[in-house]
Amino acid sequence: MRIEDIRQRLRALGANPRHEQRVLRLWSQALPQDAGRREIAHFLPAPLVAALPVLGAELAALAVLRSEHVGEDGSARLLVALGDGQTVESVLLPRDGLCVSTQVGCAVGCVFCMTGLGGLVRQVGSAEIVAQVALARTRRVVKKVVFMGMGEPAHNLDNVLEAIDLLGTEGNIGHKNLVFSTVGDPRVFDALPQGRVKPALALSLHTTRAELRERLLPRAPRMSPEELVEAGERYARATGYPIQYQWTLLEGINDGDDEIEGIVRLLHGRYAILNMIPYNTVDELPFRRPAWEQAADIARRLHRRGILTKLRQSAGQDVDGGCGQLRARAAKPVRR
Ligand code: SF4
């Protein structure tokens, strides 16, 4: 379901734009059902008031909590069932953040990612994206939403932009606290500057070597690291928010001196933050996580060379964290 479908339902029940705003605000912010109930009864048209319980139940059914896996770092992985029984992951992050999924599966096929292994199953509708936020808000405060869960947001651009627009307006999330994450797609750089809500941008770089990037991200649009950084820099300057470059650190693959030199060459003087996230090793894939001390040394060396680098843990590692792992384990017996 798309947000536009909900708007059409509301209009058919006599809602004007202000009525729509009111209902979408109640839903996306997960305000208690009785919040302003008397006011709503006076403010909204009678057919709409009568339909609200049914509509509310339908919206709640868009994203239903299947299971919750709490990590030691304050994160919690939510396995979320969509209306047709497909499942996606949302992750409650420390400091009021939430990571949402934008597709069931993913077509990019990053070779180190469990979600990429299974290919694309289906798109997640804009209403289902917002429903993940509404569900999370029944459990915790959410002030930041990152589109870094399952899926490539650029491959579901209309739905993701519609969700961003609602979350940045009625959903009460600051625009720079909405983080669109992509492997890089020219359509993103055309579309994001046009929106009334301009999210922050995270670009998955992972390597500075074009030929290695093609091997690691086999079905990502063909943008070289240089083209990606050029396009990112234009967006950063236009919005005033730095680009967050994402780098999944894979032992023996992209943790060498050549990459450090490449990063300095590409990012020095750019309006950018480099987030280095040591890979979360899984049995099913042949990649390994470098030692934390080695990762910390890389981050220190980059810092000394003038690159603002943050070394991060991927949230919820102790609960089968990592893109698509929870869903993958839910779909088959756990091997220990
Ligand atoms: Fe898709 Fe992201 Fe996994 Fe790559 S890392 S396959 S873009 S979900």
mmCIF file with all atom_site columns, all heavy atoms in Angstrom, residues 268-289:
data_model
loop_
_atom_site.group_PDB
_atom_site.id
_atom_site.type_symbol
_atom_site.label_atom_id
_atom_site.label_alt_id
_atom_site.label_comp_id
_atom_site.label_asym_id
_atom_site.label_entity_id
_atom_site.label_seq_id
_atom_site.pdbx_PDB_ins_code
_atom_site.Cartn_x
_atom_site.Cartn_y
_atom_site.Cartn_z
_atom_site.occupancy
_atom_site.B_iso_or_equiv
_atom_site.pdbx_formal_charge
_atom_site.auth_seq_id
_atom_site.auth_comp_id
_atom_site.auth_asym_id
_atom_site.auth_atom_id
_atom_site.pdbx_PDB_model_num
ATOM 1   N N   . HIS A 1 268 ? 39.789 13.690  0.781  1.00 0.00 ? 268 HIS A N   1
ATOM 2   C CA  . HIS A 1 268 ? 40.421 14.813  1.475  1.00 0.00 ? 268 HIS A CA  1
ATOM 3   C C   . HIS A 1 268 ? 39.812 16.127  0.991  1.00 0.00 ? 268 HIS A C   1
ATOM 4   O O   . HIS A 1 268 ? 39.677 16.365  -0.206 1.00 0.00 ? 268 HIS A O   1
ATOM 5   C CB  . HIS A 1 268 ? 41.936 14.826  1.237  1.00 0.00 ? 268 HIS A CB  1
ATOM 6   C CG  . HIS A 1 268 ? 42.628 15.764  2.183  1.00 0.00 ? 268 HIS A CG  1
ATOM 7   N ND1 . HIS A 1 268 ? 42.909 17.067  1.868  1.00 0.00 ? 268 HIS A ND1 1
ATOM 8   C CD2 . HIS A 1 268 ? 43.043 15.583  3.461  1.00 0.00 ? 268 HIS A CD2 1
ATOM 9   C CE1 . HIS A 1 268 ? 43.474 17.661  2.904  1.00 0.00 ? 268 HIS A CE1 1
ATOM 10  N NE2 . HIS A 1 268 ? 43.576 16.771  3.882  1.00 0.00 ? 268 HIS A NE2 1
ATOM 11  N N   . GLY A 1 269 ? 39.414 16.958  1.936  1.00 0.00 ? 269 GLY A N   1
ATOM 12  C CA  . GLY A 1 269 ? 38.831 18.259  1.595  1.00 0.00 ? 269 GLY A CA  1
ATOM 13  C C   . GLY A 1 269 ? 37.355 18.187  1.237  1.00 0.00 ? 269 GLY A C   1
ATOM 14  O O   . GLY A 1 269 ? 36.742 19.217  0.944  1.00 0.00 ? 269 GLY A O   1
ATOM 15  N N   . ARG A 1 270 ? 36.774 16.987  1.259  1.00 0.00 ? 270 ARG A N   1
ATOM 16  C CA  . ARG A 1 270 ? 35.352 16.844  0.940  1.00 0.00 ? 270 ARG A CA  1
ATOM 17  C C   . ARG A 1 270 ? 34.519 17.060  2.198  1.00 0.00 ? 270 ARG A C   1
ATOM 18  O O   . ARG A 1 270 ? 35.004 16.863  3.321  1.00 0.00 ? 270 ARG A O   1
ATOM 19  C CB  . ARG A 1 270 ? 35.056 15.437  0.394  1.00 0.00 ? 270 ARG A CB  1
ATOM 20  C CG  . ARG A 1 270 ? 35.867 15.064  -0.819 1.00 0.00 ? 270 ARG A CG  1
ATOM 21  C CD  . ARG A 1 270 ? 35.464 15.868  -2.022 1.00 0.00 ? 270 ARG A CD  1
ATOM 22  N NE  . ARG A 1 270 ? 36.091 15.348  -3.227 1.00 0.00 ? 270 ARG A NE  1
ATOM 23  C CZ  . ARG A 1 270 ? 35.776 15.756  -4.445 1.00 0.00 ? 270 ARG A CZ  1
ATOM 24  N NH1 . ARG A 1 270 ? 34.870 16.697  -4.618 1.00 0.00 ? 270 ARG A NH1 1
ATOM 25  N NH2 . ARG A 1 270 ? 36.387 15.248  -5.498 1.00 0.00 ? 270 ARG A NH2 1
ATOM 26  N N   . TYR A 1 271 ? 33.247 17.414  1.978  1.00 0.00 ? 271 TYR A N   1
ATOM 27  C CA  . TYR A 1 271 ? 32.330 17.583  3.102  1.00 0.00 ? 271 TYR A CA  1
ATOM 28  C C   . TYR A 1 271 ? 31.767 16.193  3.409  1.00 0.00 ? 271 TYR A C   1
ATOM 29  O O   . TYR A 1 271 ? 30.721 15.807  2.892  1.00 0.00 ? 271 TYR A O   1
ATOM 30  C CB  . TYR A 1 271 ? 31.242 18.570  2.693  1.00 0.00 ? 271 TYR A CB  1
ATOM 31  C CG  . TYR A 1 271 ? 30.383 19.066  3.832  1.00 0.00 ? 271 TYR A CG  1
ATOM 32  C CD1 . TYR A 1 271 ? 30.832 19.049  5.150  1.00 0.00 ? 271 TYR A CD1 1
ATOM 33  C CD2 . TYR A 1 271 ? 29.116 19.567  3.584  1.00 0.00 ? 271 TYR A CD2 1
ATOM 34  C CE1 . TYR A 1 271 ? 30.047 19.507  6.183  1.00 0.00 ? 271 TYR A CE1 1
ATOM 35  C CE2 . TYR A 1 271 ? 28.316 20.031  4.610  1.00 0.00 ? 271 TYR A CE2 1
ATOM 36  C CZ  . TYR A 1 271 ? 28.789 19.993  5.909  1.00 0.00 ? 271 TYR A CZ  1
ATOM 37  O OH  . TYR A 1 271 ? 27.993 20.449  6.916  1.00 0.00 ? 271 TYR A OH  1
ATOM 38  N N   . ALA A 1 272 ? 32.503 15.447  4.217  1.00 0.00 ? 272 ALA A N   1
ATOM 39  C CA  . ALA A 1 272 ? 32.228 14.012  4.305  1.00 0.00 ? 272 ALA A CA  1
ATOM 40  C C   . ALA A 1 272 ? 32.632 13.439  5.660  1.00 0.00 ? 272 ALA A C   1
ATOM 41  O O   . ALA A 1 272 ? 33.523 13.944  6.331  1.00 0.00 ? 272 ALA A O   1
ATOM 42  C CB  . ALA A 1 272 ? 33.005 13.281  3.212  1.00 0.00 ? 272 ALA A CB  1
ATOM 43  N N   . ILE A 1 273 ? 31.940 12.378  6.025  1.00 0.00 ? 273 ILE A N   1
ATOM 44  C CA  . ILE A 1 273 ? 32.317 11.546  7.176  1.00 0.00 ? 273 ILE A CA  1
ATOM 45  C C   . ILE A 1 273 ? 32.474 10.129  6.637  1.00 0.00 ? 273 ILE A C   1
ATOM 46  O O   . ILE A 1 273 ? 31.639 9.669   5.857  1.00 0.00 ? 273 ILE A O   1
ATOM 47  C CB  . ILE A 1 273 ? 31.200 11.543  8.241  1.00 0.00 ? 273 ILE A CB  1
ATOM 48  C CG1 . ILE A 1 273 ? 30.987 12.953  8.793  1.00 0.00 ? 273 ILE A CG1 1
ATOM 49  C CG2 . ILE A 1 273 ? 31.508 10.562  9.376  1.00 0.00 ? 273 ILE A CG2 1
ATOM 50  C CD1 . ILE A 1 273 ? 29.732 13.083  9.636  1.00 0.00 ? 273 ILE A CD1 1
ATOM 51  N N   . LEU A 1 274 ? 33.517 9.453   7.051  1.00 0.00 ? 274 LEU A N   1
ATOM 52  C CA  . LEU A 1 274 ? 33.699 8.061   6.631  1.00 0.00 ? 274 LEU A CA  1
ATOM 53  C C   . LEU A 1 274 ? 33.331 7.151   7.804  1.00 0.00 ? 274 LEU A C   1
ATOM 54  O O   . LEU A 1 274 ? 33.942 7.233   8.869  1.00 0.00 ? 274 LEU A O   1
ATOM 55  C CB  . LEU A 1 274 ? 35.158 7.834   6.231  1.00 0.00 ? 274 LEU A CB  1
ATOM 56  C CG  . LEU A 1 274 ? 35.511 6.410   5.790  1.00 0.00 ? 274 LEU A CG  1
ATOM 57  C CD1 . LEU A 1 274 ? 34.794 6.048   4.488  1.00 0.00 ? 274 LEU A CD1 1
ATOM 58  C CD2 . LEU A 1 274 ? 37.026 6.266   5.608  1.00 0.00 ? 274 LEU A CD2 1
ATOM 59  N N   . ASN A 1 275 ? 32.293 6.346   7.604  1.00 0.00 ? 275 ASN A N   1
ATOM 60  C CA  . ASN A 1 275 ? 31.891 5.379   8.630  1.00 0.00 ? 275 ASN A CA  1
ATOM 61  C C   . ASN A 1 275 ? 32.478 4.028   8.282  1.00 0.00 ? 275 ASN A C   1
ATOM 62  O O   . ASN A 1 275 ? 32.096 3.425   7.279  1.00 0.00 ? 275 ASN A O   1
ATOM 63  C CB  . ASN A 1 275 ? 30.364 5.254   8.683  1.00 0.00 ? 275 ASN A CB  1
ATOM 64  C CG  . ASN A 1 275 ? 29.711 6.484   9.255  1.00 0.00 ? 275 ASN A CG  1
ATOM 65  O OD1 . ASN A 1 275 ? 30.217 7.087   10.201 1.00 0.00 ? 275 ASN A OD1 1
ATOM 66  N ND2 . ASN A 1 275 ? 28.592 6.895   8.680  1.00 0.00 ? 275 ASN A ND2 1
ATOM 67  N N   . MET A 1 276 ? 33.418 3.559   9.087  1.00 0.00 ? 276 MET A N   1
ATOM 68  C CA  . MET A 1 276 ? 34.000 2.233   8.868  1.00 0.00 ? 276 MET A CA  1
ATOM 69  C C   . MET A 1 276 ? 33.318 1.243   9.787  1.00 0.00 ? 276 MET A C   1
ATOM 70  O O   . MET A 1 276 ? 33.268 1.448   11.007 1.00 0.00 ? 276 MET A O   1
ATOM 71  C CB  . MET A 1 276 ? 35.481 2.245   9.151  1.00 0.00 ? 276 MET A CB  1
ATOM 72  C CG  . MET A 1 276 ? 36.259 2.899   8.055  1.00 0.00 ? 276 MET A CG  1
ATOM 73  S SD  . MET A 1 276 ? 37.943 2.304   7.986  1.00 0.00 ? 276 MET A SD  1
ATOM 74  C CE  . MET A 1 276 ? 38.206 2.358   6.227  1.00 0.00 ? 276 MET A CE  1
ATOM 75  N N   . ILE A 1 277 ? 32.786 0.176   9.201  1.00 0.00 ? 277 ILE A N   1
ATOM 76  C CA  . ILE A 1 277 ? 32.048 -0.807  9.985  1.00 0.00 ? 277 ILE A CA  1
ATOM 77  C C   . ILE A 1 277 ? 32.677 -2.179  9.741  1.00 0.00 ? 277 ILE A C   1
ATOM 78  O O   . ILE A 1 277 ? 32.524 -2.744  8.657  1.00 0.00 ? 277 ILE A O   1
ATOM 79  C CB  . ILE A 1 277 ? 30.560 -0.833  9.569  1.00 0.00 ? 277 ILE A CB  1
ATOM 80  C CG1 . ILE A 1 277 ? 29.978 0.571   9.685  1.00 0.00 ? 277 ILE A CG1 1
ATOM 81  C CG2 . ILE A 1 277 ? 29.758 -1.811  10.430 1.00 0.00 ? 277 ILE A CG2 1
ATOM 82  C CD1 . ILE A 1 277 ? 29.138 0.992   8.536  1.00 0.00 ? 277 ILE A CD1 1
ATOM 83  N N   . PRO A 1 278 ? 33.444 -2.691  10.710 1.00 0.00 ? 278 PRO A N   1
ATOM 84  C CA  . PRO A 1 278 ? 34.023 -4.031  10.509 1.00 0.00 ? 278 PRO A CA  1
ATOM 85  C C   . PRO A 1 278 ? 32.918 -5.039  10.202 1.00 0.00 ? 278 PRO A C   1
ATOM 86  O O   . PRO A 1 278 ? 31.871 -5.044  10.846 1.00 0.00 ? 278 PRO A O   1
ATOM 87  C CB  . PRO A 1 278 ? 34.712 -4.328  11.840 1.00 0.00 ? 278 PRO A CB  1
ATOM 88  C CG  . PRO A 1 278 ? 35.004 -2.986  12.419 1.00 0.00 ? 278 PRO A CG  1
ATOM 89  C CD  . PRO A 1 278 ? 33.851 -2.112  11.994 1.00 0.00 ? 278 PRO A CD  1
ATOM 90  N N   . TYR A 1 279 ? 33.168 -5.838  9.197  1.00 0.00 ? 279 TYR A N   1
ATOM 91  C CA  . TYR A 1 279 ? 32.189 -6.827  8.713  1.00 0.00 ? 279 TYR A CA  1
ATOM 92  C C   . TYR A 1 279 ? 31.751 -7.747  9.840  1.00 0.00 ? 279 TYR A C   1
ATOM 93  O O   . TYR A 1 279 ? 32.538 -8.097  10.721 1.00 0.00 ? 279 TYR A O   1
ATOM 94  C CB  . TYR A 1 279 ? 32.850 -7.640  7.597  1.00 0.00 ? 279 TYR A CB  1
ATOM 95  C CG  . TYR A 1 279 ? 31.979 -8.701  7.002  1.00 0.00 ? 279 TYR A CG  1
ATOM 96  C CD1 . TYR A 1 279 ? 30.832 -8.359  6.301  1.00 0.00 ? 279 TYR A CD1 1
ATOM 97  C CD2 . TYR A 1 279 ? 32.310 -10.048 7.127  1.00 0.00 ? 279 TYR A CD2 1
ATOM 98  C CE1 . TYR A 1 279 ? 30.036 -9.346  5.741  1.00 0.00 ? 279 TYR A CE1 1
ATOM 99  C CE2 . TYR A 1 279 ? 31.524 -11.035 6.563  1.00 0.00 ? 279 TYR A CE2 1
ATOM 100 C CZ  . TYR A 1 279 ? 30.386 -10.679 5.875  1.00 0.00 ? 279 TYR A CZ  1
ATOM 101 O OH  . TYR A 1 279 ? 29.597 -11.637 5.321  1.00 0.00 ? 279 TYR A OH  1
ATOM 102 N N   . ASN A 1 280 ? 30.503 -8.124  9.778  1.00 0.00 ? 280 ASN A N   1
ATOM 103 C CA  . ASN A 1 280 ? 29.950 -9.048  10.762 1.00 0.00 ? 280 ASN A CA  1
ATOM 104 C C   . ASN A 1 280 ? 29.982 -10.459 10.160 1.00 0.00 ? 280 ASN A C   1
ATOM 105 O O   . ASN A 1 280 ? 29.155 -10.793 9.327  1.00 0.00 ? 280 ASN A O   1
ATOM 106 C CB  . ASN A 1 280 ? 28.524 -8.608  11.086 1.00 0.00 ? 280 ASN A CB  1
ATOM 107 C CG  . ASN A 1 280 ? 27.978 -9.300  12.295 1.00 0.00 ? 280 ASN A CG  1
ATOM 108 O OD1 . ASN A 1 280 ? 28.736 -9.835  13.104 1.00 0.00 ? 280 ASN A OD1 1
ATOM 109 N ND2 . ASN A 1 280 ? 26.673 -9.312  12.409 1.00 0.00 ? 280 ASN A ND2 1
ATOM 110 N N   . THR A 1 281 ? 30.943 -11.253 10.561 1.00 0.00 ? 281 THR A N   1
ATOM 111 C CA  . THR A 1 281 ? 31.159 -12.572 9.938  1.00 0.00 ? 281 THR A CA  1
ATOM 112 C C   . THR A 1 281 ? 29.938 -13.485 10.107 1.00 0.00 ? 281 THR A C   1
ATOM 113 O O   . THR A 1 281 ? 29.339 -13.537 11.176 1.00 0.00 ? 281 THR A O   1
ATOM 114 C CB  . THR A 1 281 ? 32.382 -13.253 10.588 1.00 0.00 ? 281 THR A CB  1
ATOM 115 O OG1 . THR A 1 281 ? 33.504 -12.382 10.438 1.00 0.00 ? 281 THR A OG1 1
ATOM 116 C CG2 . THR A 1 281 ? 32.693 -14.589 9.931  1.00 0.00 ? 281 THR A CG2 1
ATOM 117 N N   . VAL A 1 282 ? 29.570 -14.160 9.016  1.00 0.00 ? 282 VAL A N   1
ATOM 118 C CA  . VAL A 1 282 ? 28.504 -15.173 9.091  1.00 0.00 ? 282 VAL A CA  1
ATOM 119 C C   . VAL A 1 282 ? 29.041 -16.466 8.478  1.00 0.00 ? 282 VAL A C   1
ATOM 120 O O   . VAL A 1 282 ? 29.879 -16.440 7.577  1.00 0.00 ? 282 VAL A O   1
ATOM 121 C CB  . VAL A 1 282 ? 27.223 -14.741 8.334  1.00 0.00 ? 282 VAL A CB  1
ATOM 122 C CG1 . VAL A 1 282 ? 26.522 -13.618 9.053  1.00 0.00 ? 282 VAL A CG1 1
ATOM 123 C CG2 . VAL A 1 282 ? 27.512 -14.359 6.900  1.00 0.00 ? 282 VAL A CG2 1
ATOM 124 N N   . ASP A 1 283 ? 28.533 -17.580 8.966  1.00 0.00 ? 283 ASP A N   1
ATOM 125 C CA  . ASP A 1 283 ? 29.024 -18.881 8.504  1.00 0.00 ? 283 ASP A CA  1
ATOM 126 C C   . ASP A 1 283 ? 28.849 -19.059 7.003  1.00 0.00 ? 283 ASP A C   1
ATOM 127 O O   . ASP A 1 283 ? 29.656 -19.703 6.336  1.00 0.00 ? 283 ASP A O   1
ATOM 128 C CB  . ASP A 1 283 ? 28.245 -20.020 9.193  1.00 0.00 ? 283 ASP A CB  1
ATOM 129 C CG  . ASP A 1 283 ? 28.539 -20.079 10.670 1.00 0.00 ? 283 ASP A CG  1
ATOM 130 O OD1 . ASP A 1 283 ? 29.518 -19.425 11.085 1.00 0.00 ? 283 ASP A OD1 1
ATOM 131 O OD2 . ASP A 1 283 ? 27.784 -20.751 11.396 1.00 0.00 ? 283 ASP A OD2 1
ATOM 132 N N   . GLU A 1 284 ? 27.751 -18.517 6.475  1.00 0.00 ? 284 GLU A N   1
ATOM 133 C CA  . GLU A 1 284 ? 27.360 -18.823 5.093  1.00 0.00 ? 284 GLU A CA  1
ATOM 134 C C   . GLU A 1 284 ? 28.230 -18.134 4.046  1.00 0.00 ? 284 GLU A C   1
ATOM 135 O O   . GLU A 1 284 ? 28.174 -18.495 2.866  1.00 0.00 ? 284 GLU A O   1
ATOM 136 C CB  . GLU A 1 284 ? 25.901 -18.418 4.865  1.00 0.00 ? 284 GLU A CB  1
ATOM 137 C CG  . GLU A 1 284 ? 24.880 -19.230 5.659  1.00 0.00 ? 284 GLU A CG  1
ATOM 138 C CD  . GLU A 1 284 ? 24.647 -18.701 7.080  1.00 0.00 ? 284 GLU A CD  1
ATOM 139 O OE1 . GLU A 1 284 ? 25.468 -17.876 7.560  1.00 0.00 ? 284 GLU A OE1 1
ATOM 140 O OE2 . GLU A 1 284 ? 23.673 -19.125 7.704  1.00 0.00 ? 284 GLU A OE2 1
ATOM 141 N N   . LEU A 1 285 ? 28.999 -17.119 4.440  1.00 0.00 ? 285 LEU A N   1
ATOM 142 C CA  . LEU A 1 285 ? 29.746 -16.320 3.452  1.00 0.00 ? 285 LEU A CA  1
ATOM 143 C C   . LEU A 1 285 ? 31.237 -16.358 3.768  1.00 0.00 ? 285 LEU A C   1
ATOM 144 O O   . LEU A 1 285 ? 31.634 -16.467 4.937  1.00 0.00 ? 285 LEU A O   1
ATOM 145 C CB  . LEU A 1 285 ? 29.228 -14.870 3.449  1.00 0.00 ? 285 LEU A CB  1
ATOM 146 C CG  . LEU A 1 285 ? 27.759 -14.727 3.012  1.00 0.00 ? 285 LEU A CG  1
ATOM 147 C CD1 . LEU A 1 285 ? 27.264 -13.291 3.224  1.00 0.00 ? 285 LEU A CD1 1
ATOM 148 C CD2 . LEU A 1 285 ? 27.574 -15.125 1.562  1.00 0.00 ? 285 LEU A CD2 1
ATOM 149 N N   . PRO A 1 286 ? 32.088 -16.242 2.736  1.00 0.00 ? 286 PRO A N   1
ATOM 150 C CA  . PRO A 1 286 ? 33.518 -16.487 2.945  1.00 0.00 ? 286 PRO A CA  1
ATOM 151 C C   . PRO A 1 286 ? 34.319 -15.285 3.454  1.00 0.00 ? 286 PRO A C   1
ATOM 152 O O   . PRO A 1 286 ? 35.544 -15.335 3.457  1.00 0.00 ? 286 PRO A O   1
ATOM 153 C CB  . PRO A 1 286 ? 33.984 -16.858 1.530  1.00 0.00 ? 286 PRO A CB  1
ATOM 154 C CG  . PRO A 1 286 ? 33.081 -16.094 0.627  1.00 0.00 ? 286 PRO A CG  1
ATOM 155 C CD  . PRO A 1 286 ? 31.755 -16.035 1.318  1.00 0.00 ? 286 PRO A CD  1
ATOM 156 N N   . PHE A 1 287 ? 33.659 -14.221 3.864  1.00 0.00 ? 287 PHE A N   1
ATOM 157 C CA  . PHE A 1 287 ? 34.397 -13.018 4.264  1.00 0.00 ? 287 PHE A CA  1
ATOM 158 C C   . PHE A 1 287 ? 34.637 -13.014 5.770  1.00 0.00 ? 287 PHE A C   1
ATOM 159 O O   . PHE A 1 287 ? 33.874 -13.605 6.524  1.00 0.00 ? 287 PHE A O   1
ATOM 160 C CB  . PHE A 1 287 ? 33.623 -11.762 3.842  1.00 0.00 ? 287 PHE A CB  1
ATOM 161 C CG  . PHE A 1 287 ? 33.416 -11.702 2.357  1.00 0.00 ? 287 PHE A CG  1
ATOM 162 C CD1 . PHE A 1 287 ? 32.233 -12.164 1.797  1.00 0.00 ? 287 PHE A CD1 1
ATOM 163 C CD2 . PHE A 1 287 ? 34.424 -11.248 1.528  1.00 0.00 ? 287 PHE A CD2 1
ATOM 164 C CE1 . PHE A 1 287 ? 32.048 -12.158 0.424  1.00 0.00 ? 287 PHE A CE1 1
ATOM 165 C CE2 . PHE A 1 287 ? 34.241 -11.246 0.152  1.00 0.00 ? 287 PHE A CE2 1
ATOM 166 C CZ  . PHE A 1 287 ? 33.056 -11.699 -0.399 1.00 0.00 ? 287 PHE A CZ  1
ATOM 167 N N   . ARG A 1 288 ? 35.708 -12.317 6.176  1.00 0.00 ? 288 ARG A N   1
ATOM 168 C CA  . ARG A 1 288 ? 36.077 -12.292 7.589  1.00 0.00 ? 288 ARG A CA  1
ATOM 169 C C   . ARG A 1 288 ? 36.151 -10.856 8.082  1.00 0.00 ? 288 ARG A C   1
ATOM 170 O O   . ARG A 1 288 ? 36.460 -9.930  7.350  1.00 0.00 ? 288 ARG A O   1
ATOM 171 C CB  . ARG A 1 288 ? 37.443 -12.969 7.810  1.00 0.00 ? 288 ARG A CB  1
ATOM 172 C CG  . ARG A 1 288 ? 37.436 -14.462 7.545  1.00 0.00 ? 288 ARG A CG  1
ATOM 173 C CD  . ARG A 1 288 ? 36.712 -15.242 8.653  1.00 0.00 ? 288 ARG A CD  1
ATOM 174 N NE  . ARG A 1 288 ? 36.214 -16.512 8.160  1.00 0.00 ? 288 ARG A NE  1
ATOM 175 C CZ  . ARG A 1 288 ? 34.932 -16.810 7.936  1.00 0.00 ? 288 ARG A CZ  1
ATOM 176 N NH1 . ARG A 1 288 ? 33.994 -15.936 8.157  1.00 0.00 ? 288 ARG A NH1 1
ATOM 177 N NH2 . ARG A 1 288 ? 34.559 -17.982 7.496  1.00 0.00 ? 288 ARG A NH2 1
ATOM 178 N N   . ARG A 1 289 ? 35.929 -10.736 9.387  1.00 0.00 ? 289 ARG A N   1
ATOM 179 C CA  . ARG A 1 289 ? 35.989 -9.445  10.065 1.00 0.00 ? 289 ARG A CA  1
ATOM 180 C C   . ARG A 1 289 ? 37.427 -9.188  10.519 1.00 0.00 ? 289 ARG A C   1
ATOM 181 O O   . ARG A 1 289 ? 38.032 -10.053 11.154 1.00 0.00 ? 289 ARG A O   1
ATOM 182 C CB  . ARG A 1 289 ? 35.063 -9.558  11.274 1.00 0.00 ? 289 ARG A CB  1
ATOM 183 C CG  . ARG A 1 289 ? 35.026 -8.405  12.218 1.00 0.00 ? 289 ARG A CG  1
ATOM 184 C CD  . ARG A 1 289 ? 34.201 -8.882  13.441 1.00 0.00 ? 289 ARG A CD  1
ATOM 185 N NE  . ARG A 1 289 ? 34.108 -7.851  14.437 1.00 0.00 ? 289 ARG A NE  1
ATOM 186 C CZ  . ARG A 1 289 ? 33.208 -6.880  14.388 1.00 0.00 ? 289 ARG A CZ  1
ATOM 187 N NH1 . ARG A 1 289 ? 32.340 -6.828  13.417 1.00 0.00 ? 289 ARG A NH1 1
ATOM 188 N NH2 . ARG A 1 289 ? 33.177 -5.961  15.312 1.00 0.00 ? 289 ARG A NH2 1
#
